[in-house]
Amino acid sequence: MNEIRSISAKQVGRDVPRLESRQKVTGRAEYTHNITLPGMLYAKLCRSTVAHGRILSIDVSAARDLPGVHAVYTGETIRTLIAEPYFGPAFHDQPILAIGKVHFVGEPIAVVLAADPYVAAEAAQMIVAEYEELPAVFDEVEAMTSAAIVHETLKPAGTFADLKHLSGKSNTNVALDYQLRRGDTDAAFAAAEHVFEHEFHTQQVMHTPLEPMVSIAEPGDNCLTIYTASQSPSFVCTEIARLFGWRENQVRVKVPYLGGGFGAKLYIKLEALVAAAAMLARRPVKLSLTMEEQFYTITKHASTFRIKSAVNKDGRITARRCEIFWNGGAFADIGPRVTQKSGFTSPGPYDIDNVSVDSYALYTNRPPAGALRGFGIPQLVWAYESHTDLLARGIGMDAVEFRRRNLLREGRPQATGTLMHDAAIIEVLDKTAELMNWTAPFERGEGVIRRGRAIAIGFKAVVAPTTSGAIVNLSADGSAALYMSTVDMGQGSDTAMAQIVAETLGLVAERVKVVHPDTDVTPYDMATLGSRSTFHMGNAVKLASLHALEQLGAMAREVGLPEGTNYEIRDIFLKKYGMQAGNIIGVGSYVPPYTSPQKGTGLSDNVTPFWMVGAAGVELSVDTETGHVTIDRLINVADVGRPLNPAIVATQLSGAAMMQLGFTLFENMDLDHGQVTNASLADYKIPGMHDLPTVMDNVIVDNNQQNGPYGAKGVGETATFGVSPAIANAIEDAVGVRLTSLPLTPESVLRGIRALRGEKLEG
Amino acid sequence: MRGFEFLRPGTLNEASALLATGDAAARPFAGGTGLMLMMKTGVFSPSRLVCLRQTEAEHRAITPTGDGGARIGALASLSQIEHDPLLCRLAPVIARTMTTLANVRVRNVARIGGTLAHGDPHMDMPPTLAALRASVVTSGTASRTVPVEALYAGYYETILQPGELISAVLLPDQTGWHSVYLKCTTRSADDWPALGVAVSVRMDGTTITDSRVIISAATEKLTRVAAAEAVLNGATAGLAAFTAAGEAARAVETIEDARGSAAYKTELVGVYVRRALQQATGAGGN
Ligand SMILES: Cc1cc2nc3c(=O)[nH]c(=O)nc-3n(C[C@H](O)[C@H](O)[C@H](O)COP(=O)(O)OP(=O)(O)OC[C@H]3O[C@@H](n4cnc5c(N)ncnc54)[C@H](O)[C@@H]3O)c2cc1C
């Protein structure tokens, strides 16, 4: 069989079944939870019971005396090892264990180590802390001006140039104030035919990966090995090395499969704690969070978005002002990036000459917030697409027609001034309208049931600039292995990347081996986040494969084979080495071109290497006696460039849409003075099979991302964009009720229906 | 988690003796599905668990009672009840309710005795059985028969005394009765209900001769709504009577939680009682 020539060009675009499927269904796939090491201790945390307070004392004596307890550490113990034990990707604001004060209910204040996890858990409950409570702030808008200050001084990490001006600032909860200014909004509003202004809210929700966070650290001689369920092994390595004042090569980070991530397992989470504990105890230490503890670890930003638009008599939007407040909780995590990188898309995928954006990352005394499947975009699309429907309604224009008139077209400048390329915005809108049969009459329901329909469309710029590296090892028998630090957390990256290797080298994707992240072995990758891997790592993998191919060509020439030889790879090796020996190492690294936005205006001629576009079309029924909403049909339409693996793309679209459906209709972290009151899966509900829409279609429009690997781009988040506003818009279409806060509960719908009749719910 | 005793007596009487110690942290253990959740979340730390499963041979049978009803042993599993031919004929509402009760794994393990003794007002079987006029038989020092609706003293509280165990459930003859249970969730489909409504109506032609209206989940404990029954009894089945019964049921005291405000749940009570009656009788539209 001649593998080099015959299979080529049939590997991408093919529904290659996921490489790890068999391992997973037979229970053989490796997860951090299954790893135990000789002499390993289990860690259990004791957490703060107050939202904001100065620590007066932590009494660990009873815990330490419990038989079976190996050690109990507090922030002060950690300090004997690391002088400044604070970490974080944007700000060094998060202590490994609380020092001096606590910032939210659930913040870790002490850790117990024991060989038996149940002993550790019991001891953790015996720790008694005393606090002097401080005034707390929970609301993001109040945090702008509140007297309660979460952190005395701001401590930007220094890695980001645009955060430098915040260094040492005190008496503020604003972790980042991002601005964009384009055109003259004041003049445009003054001259406007119509002006509309609305305010929208989103609630705090959680990633809920079904594999809770887990990390293990194994100490060595001036070195550490960390096994962790992380989406960003390279960052963990860098940050642990920084904390210990070590070289990167003293820290080895290994990541097997993840049972979901969704942004929860980014940057560092438990790794710093297990690393410090392992170094102090000189024993391997494992920390596995319970599902309940995840509620105190990382969440999705609650937000408030004030949006104002000017519309002229032709139905063109002439100006838009956006003010967004992001509730970052107690630690910045990646919130400042969300604030900025998503902030610049907050006017939506519309061609508007005059735009102003103010986006604020705020500290509050809630559990910290980070990136969750969309990096802030779903919060923005929720607001601007609800608003856009209200504009169309306000001027009496069809919602699809209004959008078509205002959407950005190829070559037009987005709010930052970057020209739009390869973003199939109009195509996505038109496809959605076509699938919904938009121009045909619509069945409106009867009796107590009222039906409505609507659409919403959003876009996202991939976070830039970021780097990926890959190594392809071509063995003498013609088989290939790919070494990369992209983490397969269920999204199918191993398979897609194997397809790129196979396509480029003329192999069969199923036979490409993918070596999982191990910072001693696999090259740097910024992280598996923000739909960046297919594009960035995909390009790096393609470059590495091409590099290998180039060397193979050189080898063929060297052994006297003609250009375009049909010799198999192993025969070329055999001719060179006289036996099955040797290998070819192809390396590739990719960082896209990028222009930093100007300070103050936020303008840039190249703010992102690609745009993702997603729309949702919704048909629903409302029970007007109870407010219950049934989603009869949900259509997800996406521009993903050329899909590398259409079947995996479809599951990414349906999965993202379902996740957003939960955030839209019911998921909500209930907080009582900063205390999460529903921190369990019994009380915090995520969608299940019975919550699926009656009909759900996932559709990809034809497009080619010219700078992407084989025309592809990211897809993991795209189907989250339109779901929330499309549902809210369809509810208004059905019953005339406009909801401006998520989640869209049956109670809020019923209250809206009653309010329209001038009635209130009693009680 | 501290250690605890796990005992496996062979009879309910022995079990009662092992439990009548005055220690509130000693509890009977049937399927364990309710207890284990409480233990995992730290709500309950047992000192002693007395497993009842060794008594299964004697206490899991489902048998006809001779007067048209059935006797269900306390150790019968929910799956067994769901698929039992006698019960499916006598009260098909039970099997229908089971389809949205937890999942098959829980139903395979949970026992009817544990289900009734748990006292969580969000559960589906207590209102269903109360509407069917079922009662529980207890064993222990003072054996007694208690109607299901009288079993509950409050939130997670029953009137059972320490050492008093449920040994069986008695289901009366259902001839002439029509029953429905409606589970109303306001978040995900598999959430605990915001409201459970179970109704049973006995009809003579189009006249309602007797009825049961039971509310759960929205209230602190399972509640039989006599006012709604009074509206129904003697009335002609139809929209007017059902709407009036719904209105009367709104008088129950609902409580606010993450699933909805008290006022909203009161609205749901009115609507769901009416709809349950419509479905049970096929009268008054739907
Ligand atoms: C994942 C999950 C989903 C669920 N979903 C639902 C749902 O949708 N609807 C619903 O109704 N329920 C639901 N439940 C609750 C479930 O119905 C109860 O856990 C179950 O019925 C309890 O029965 P058990 O035999 O396991 O009781 P156990 O856990 O053994 O006992 C429960 C309580 O009863 C006491 N007890 C047990 N037997 C007796 C006896 N014979 N006499 C006196 N006291 C006794 C125990 O001491 C304990 O206090 C769910 C549970 C789980 C775990």
Side-chain angles (χ1 to χ4, degrees):
Chain A
M1 192 177 72
N2 188 337
E3 289 196 343
I4 289 196
R5 312 289 166 228
S6 66
I7 308 294
S8 182
K10 296 246 164 60
Q11 297 302 309
V12 304
R14 178 162 77 87
D15 289 340
V16 177
R18 296 249 292 261
L19 302 184
E20 71 284 7
S21 307
R22 180 180 293 269
Q23 273 184 66
K24 284 193 174 169
V25 298
T26 54
R28 289 175 172 84
E30 193 189 17
Y31 292 95
T32 308
H33 271 285
N34 299 334
I35 299 174
T36 52
L37 300 171
M40 191 173 84
L41 298 170
Y42 291 89
K44 268 285 169 190
L45 294 170
C46 171
R47 295 171 180 278
S48 167
T49 52
V50 302
H52 196 195
R54 215 161 288 293
I55 301 172
L56 298 177
S57 64
I58 305 176
D59 181 357
V60 303
S61 54
R64 191 170 280 153
D65 292 345
L66 188 75
V69 169
H70 181 86
V72 185
Y73 304 139
T74 65
E76 293 308 323
T77 337
I78 304 288
R79 267 195 155 160
T80 63
L81 183 72
I82 303 168
E84 276 294 308
Y86 294 89
F87 62 85
F91 284 73
H92 292 157
D93 56 2
Q94 186 157 4
I96 293 176
L97 290 169
I99 296 171
K101 73 175 206 170
V102 289
H103 311 80
F104 72 100
V105 178
E107 180 172 351
I109 61 163
V111 64
V112 179
L113 304 184
D116 179 338
Y118 295 104
V119 170
E122 187 176 346
Q125 290 191 354
M126 298 164 79
I127 294 170
V128 183
E130 284 184 336
Y131 307 93
E132 173 202 336
E133 282 205 52
L134 299 170
V137 60
F138 304 109
D139 179 86
E140 61 274 11
V141 177
E142 279 169 26
M144 291 287 293
T145 53
S146 80
I149 298 294
V150 181
H151 294 276
E152 270 74 52
T153 46
L154 301 186
K155 292 196 277 184
T159 25
F160 300 115
D162 57 321
L163 299 180
K164 286 222 172 82
H165 70 289
L166 295 164
S167 188
K169 248 190 154 180
S170 60
N171 217 20
T172 180
N173 291 318
V174 181
L176 178 71
D177 46 347
Y178 166 77
Q179 284 192 352
L180 183 147
R181 298 284 182 271
R182 186 154 175 269
D184 186 344
T185 42
D186 289 341
F189 276 114
E193 207 88 18
H194 311 276
V195 175
F196 299 89
E197 189 167 4
H198 303 103
E199 181 173 307
F200 298 91
H201 302 271
T202 66
Q203 80 286 30
Q204 193 169 14
V205 296
M206 201 180 68
H207 306 69
T208 329
L210 290 186
E211 172 205 44
M213 289 153 198
V214 52
S215 301
I216 306 168
E218 184 181 23
D221 195 11
N222 262 325
C223 66
L224 266 171
T225 303
I226 297 175
Y227 305 83
T228 181
S230 170
Q231 295 175 235
S232 46
S234 302
F235 184 86
V236 170
C237 177
T238 315
E239 190 72 344
I240 296 293
R242 181 188 68 78
L243 281 167
F244 283 91
W246 285 356
R247 300 181 308 278
E248 280 192 29
N249 66 8
Q250 290 173 278
V251 183
R252 177 179 196 176
V253 181
K254 298 182 76 171
V255 178
Y257 288 113
L258 259 61
F262 312 112
K265 297 170 180 170
L266 278 172
Y267 313 108
I268 62 177
K269 290 292 175 286
L270 313 180
E271 293 88 353
L273 178 65
V274 291
M279 289 308 286
L280 286 167
R282 304 301 311 165
R283 298 258 296 262
V285 171
K286 180 176 193 173
L287 176 56
S288 318
L289 293 195
T290 61
M291 187 59 79
E292 290 73 18
E293 285 180 291
Q294 293 204 98
F295 287 84
Y296 304 109
T297 309
I298 194 71
T299 67
K300 178 172 175 168
H301 288 83
S303 67
T304 296
F305 188 160
R306 296 182 184 143
I307 183 167
K308 180 175 171 183
S309 297
V311 182
N312 73 13
K313 60 179 182 308
D314 308 322
R316 285 295 311 252
I317 306 168
T318 55
R320 183 163 274 184
R321 185 170 290 158
C322 304
E323 232 188 332
I324 311 124
F325 306 88
W326 302 91
N327 195 325
F331 301 120
D333 198 81
I334 202 62
R337 294 281 93 178
V338 170
T339 303
Q340 184 216 12
K341 297 289 179 184
S342 292
F344 73 72
T345 71
S346 61
Y350 297 105
D351 197 337
I352 308 172
D353 289 335
N354 306 291
V355 180
S356 105
V357 176
D358 290 282
S359 182
Y360 303 96
L362 290 150
Y363 282 118
T364 63
N365 296 108
R366 292 199 196 189
L372 196 170
R373 208 168 194 169
F375 224 78
I377 297 294
Q379 289 98 319
L380 299 175
V381 188
W382 150 246
Y384 68 65
E385 280 300 271
S386 293
H387 178 68
T388 298
D389 242 47
L390 286 164
L391 301 186
R393 216 169 260 279
I395 63 163
M397 190 179 282
D398 174 75
V400 170
E401 176 54 28
F402 180 74
R403 287 180 173 84
R404 197 177 281 125
R405 263 186 212 193
N406 286 287
L407 285 173
L408 281 162
R409 310 218 166 214
E410 174 72 23
R412 290 290 302 162
Q414 187 268 344
T416 54
T418 297
L419 303 183
M420 299 300 294
H421 290 300
D422 298 342
I425 303 175
I426 295 287
E427 292 81 351
V428 166
L429 176 85
D430 285 346
K431 189 67 178 178
T432 313
E434 177 199 320
L435 290 164
M436 293 190 74
N437 216 351
W438 188 258
T439 49
F442 180 67
E443 156 62 46
R444 295 250 152 223
E446 55 179 37
V448 300
I449 302 299
R450 286 282 172 268
R451 299 187 73 241
R453 63 172 177 170
I455 59 155
I457 183 165
F459 77 147
K460 180 181 182 212
V462 78
V463 175
T466 66
T467 306
S468 291
I471 296 172
V472 168
N473 174 10
L474 196 53
S475 292
D477 66 349
S479 67
L482 169 62
Y483 295 68
M484 61 164 185
S485 295
T486 291
V487 176
D488 199 322
M489 45 190 177
Q491 83 278 36
S493 53
D494 281 4
T495 310
M497 298 301 167
Q499 287 178 262
I500 293 176
V501 172
E503 178 77 23
T504 313
L505 291 175
L507 306 174
V508 180
E510 283 86 338
R511 288 191 225 160
V512 174
K513 172 174 180 167
V514 179
V515 177
H516 281 160
D518 174 346
T519 55
D520 268 10
V521 176
T522 56
Y524 177 89
D525 177 51
M526 186 263 187
T528 305
L529 65 78
S531 303
R532 64 174 291 282
S533 301
T534 297
F535 181 87
H536 294 82
M537 185 57 81
N539 270 321
V541 168
K542 188 176 173 191
L543 288 170
S545 306
L546 286 171
H547 185 217
L549 197 62
E550 210 178 284
Q551 295 174 66
L552 186 66
M555 195 189 277
R557 280 194 298 280
E558 190 187 323
V559 299
L561 292 168
E563 197 68 30
T565 174
N566 65 353
Y567 262 59
E568 289 185 32
I569 295 175
R570 66 163 175 267
D571 294 328
I572 300 173
F573 271 88
L574 204 55
K575 263 186 167 303
K576 168 153 170 136
Y577 293 102
M579 58 187 285
Q580 185 172 327
N583 58 353
I584 286 174
I585 303 292
V587 297
S589 82
Y590 182 79
V591 57
Y594 173 73
T595 311
S596 268
Q598 286 167 28
K599 182 114 206 71
T601 65
L603 300 183
S604 161
D605 64 359
N606 190 358
V607 78
T608 184
F610 72 90
W611 304 91
M612 292 160 256
V613 185
V618 164
E619 295 177 7
L620 53 74
S621 303
V622 179
D623 182 328
T624 53
E625 287 186 324
T626 65
H628 278 102
V629 172
T630 306
I631 311 294
D632 300 320
R633 189 172 178 208
L634 172 61
I635 299 168
N636 306 306
V637 182
D639 166 18
V640 303
R642 282 216 177 109
L644 294 175
N645 185 321
I648 292 182
V649 166
T651 61
Q652 283 297 301
L653 295 178
S654 61
M658 277 310 289
M659 197 158 180
Q660 190 64 30
L661 191 85
F663 299 149
T664 305
L665 295 176
F666 43 78
E667 286 187 48
N668 186 22
M669 285 173 62
D670 286 311
L671 290 155
D672 178 10
H673 211 74
Q675 166 77 55
V676 187
T677 57
N678 61 340
S680 82
L681 287 191
D683 294 313
Y684 178 94
K685 301 312 294 183
I686 61 173
M689 280 300 168
H690 295 292
D691 298 298
L692 274 166
T694 315
V695 176
M696 179 155 74
D697 301 315
N698 304 299
V699 178
I700 305 164
V701 298
D702 269 343
N703 199 22
N704 179 27
Q705 183 65 39
Q706 294 179 52
N707 53 352
Y710 297 105
K713 61 180 160 190
V715 56
E717 303 161 316
T718 306
T720 63
F721 302 165
V723 173
S724 305
I727 292 175
N729 293 343
I731 289 172
E732 176 164 17
D733 187 50
V735 291
V737 171
R738 171 53 61 174
L739 298 177
T740 56
S741 293
L742 294 179
L744 310 174
T745 62
E747 175 163 355
S748 57
V749 174
L750 188 68
R751 284 185 184 274
I753 291 171
R754 292 297 169 82
L756 287 179
R757 294 193 214 139
E759 296 166 15
K760 275 171 92 173
L761 288 194
E762 284 155 37
Chain B
M1 191 194 296
R2 242 176 273 268
F4 54 86
E5 274 184 296
F6 193 79
L7 306 174
R8 304 163 143 268
T11 67
L12 286 187
N13 282 340
E14 279 176 58
S16 291
L18 291 168
L19 287 161
T21 59
D23 178 359
R27 292 266 191 106
F29 183 96
T33 61
L35 280 173
M36 300 273 272
L37 269 187
M38 302 198 332
M39 286 161 63
K40 271 170 77 175
T41 53
V43 176
F44 171 61
S45 307
S47 59
R48 169 183 283 189
L49 291 179
V50 178
C51 182
L52 307 181
R53 294 199 216 165
Q54 305 297 106
T55 72
E56 244 174 41
E58 194 182 342
H59 293 291
R60 79 175 300 174
I62 301 170
T63 47
T65 49
D67 57 359
R71 183 180 190 285
I72 308 170
L75 272 293
S77 74
L78 297 186
S79 293
Q80 187 191 343
I81 290 170
E82 177 180 1
H83 299 292
D84 184 78
L86 171 64
L87 292 179
C88 285
R89 205 165 53 240
L90 187 63
V93 65
I94 294 177
R96 258 183 247 128
T97 300
M98 292 292 188
T99 60
T100 59
L101 191 157
N103 54 56
V104 69
R105 295 179 305 285
V106 170
R107 295 198 297 274
N108 280 342
V109 176
R111 311 304 165 109
I112 193 65
T115 303
L116 288 172
H118 198 40
D120 179 346
H122 298 97
M123 290 166 65
D124 302 311
M125 264 307 117
T128 307
L129 291 173
L132 293 170
R133 296 165 292 123
S135 39
V136 297
V137 181
T138 70
S139 75
T141 41
S143 169
R144 50 181 169 161
T145 302
V146 183
V148 169
E149 76 256 22
L151 187 61
Y152 302 100
Y155 195 70
Y156 280 92
E157 266 180 67
T158 65
I159 59 154
L160 297 174
Q161 299 301 306
E164 185 177 15
L165 293 170
I166 296 175
S167 58
V169 179
L170 295 178
L171 200 61
D173 183 18
Q174 301 292 324
T175 310
W177 288 84
H178 307 273
S179 306
V180 157
Y181 171 70
L182 296 182
K183 176 173 185 166
C184 171
T185 60
T186 54
R187 302 188 299 181
S188 66
D190 68 353
D191 192 8
W192 291 107
L195 168 70
V197 171
V199 300
S200 277
V201 185
R202 185 181 200 176
M203 308 267 288
D204 182 2
T206 59
T207 305
I208 301 167
T209 58
D210 199 356
S211 62
R212 288 290 182 282
V213 176
I214 312 289
I215 305 285
S216 62
T219 46
E220 194 202 6
K221 58 176 183 146
L222 178 153
T223 305
R224 178 173 168 190
V225 195
E229 293 172 8
V231 169
L232 292 170
N233 297 345
T236 303
L239 190 58
F242 299 160
T243 305
E247 281 301 313
R250 288 171 56 116
V252 298
E253 191 183 330
T254 53
I255 46 179
E256 163 155 17
D257 63 11
R259 295 163 197 92
S261 68
Y264 176 61
K265 289 182 186 173
T266 297
E267 289 294 321
L268 292 176
V269 166
V271 174
Y272 272 80
V273 165
R274 187 194 74 221
R275 289 184 183 177
L277 291 164
Q278 288 171 313
Q279 287 186 28
T281 59
N286 51 38

